[in-house]
Amino acid sequence: MTSPAPPEGPPEAPPEEPPAPPPLVLVRFEPSGREVRIALGATLLGAARAAGLTVANACGASGVCGKCGMVILDGHASLADPTPWEVRVKAMNRVAKPVRLACLVHLRGDLVATTDYW
Ligand code: FES
């Protein structure tokens, strides 16, 4: 009886593991209390849409109309300060200083937000 021939060439590399899913953040919208878990780095506008909420916008979320303003009720510490562009768009559209433009806010932690027409 003969043994099988040894394999030729280098051993096969172990299979690659699939990439880990992105971390999620929890966003709650008031006064409805709707919540959504969404990938870290998503926009606040995207989170509202994922929660099934309509958000005013006239620029297709390109950050120029100033219509998507939201008030952050909790979680300010997780947000980056407004960029010079957001500050400029808010000034051009007479958006109150504490309001954030949801299409320009990228989520970095859990937060609670609202707007005056919900
Ligand atoms: S949707 Fe127009 S600035 Fe955000």
Side-chain angles (χ1 to χ4, degrees):
M1 181 165 180
T2 61
S3 60
E8 292 184 23
E12 286 186 30
E16 288 187 31
E17 292 192 23
L24 301 177
V25 297
L26 177 65
V27 183
R28 188 174 78 241
F29 296 98
E30 296 295 353
S32 67
R34 287 193 195 182
E35 293 183 336
V36 64
R37 288 192 186 277
I38 195 162
L40 185 75
T43 65
L44 181 56
L45 179 64
R49 287 176 171 166
L53 295 166
T54 302
V55 178
N57 74 89
C59 68
S62 56
V64 295
C65 72
K67 301 290 186 198
C68 62
M70 289 190 195
V71 175
I72 308 303
L73 301 174
D74 194 18
H76 300 267
S78 71
L79 295 177
D81 290 337
T83 62
W85 178 257
E86 184 179 355
V87 171
R88 183 174 172 203
V89 170
K90 285 170 49 177
M92 288 187 311
N93 292 285
R94 298 188 178 104
V95 176
K97 199 169 185 179
V99 172
R100 298 297 303 267
L101 298 182
C103 71
L104 298 177
V105 169
H106 293 270
L107 300 167
R108 303 191 322 181
D110 297 349
L111 62 79
V112 181
T114 192
T115 188
D116 57 3
Y117 52 83
W118 284 338

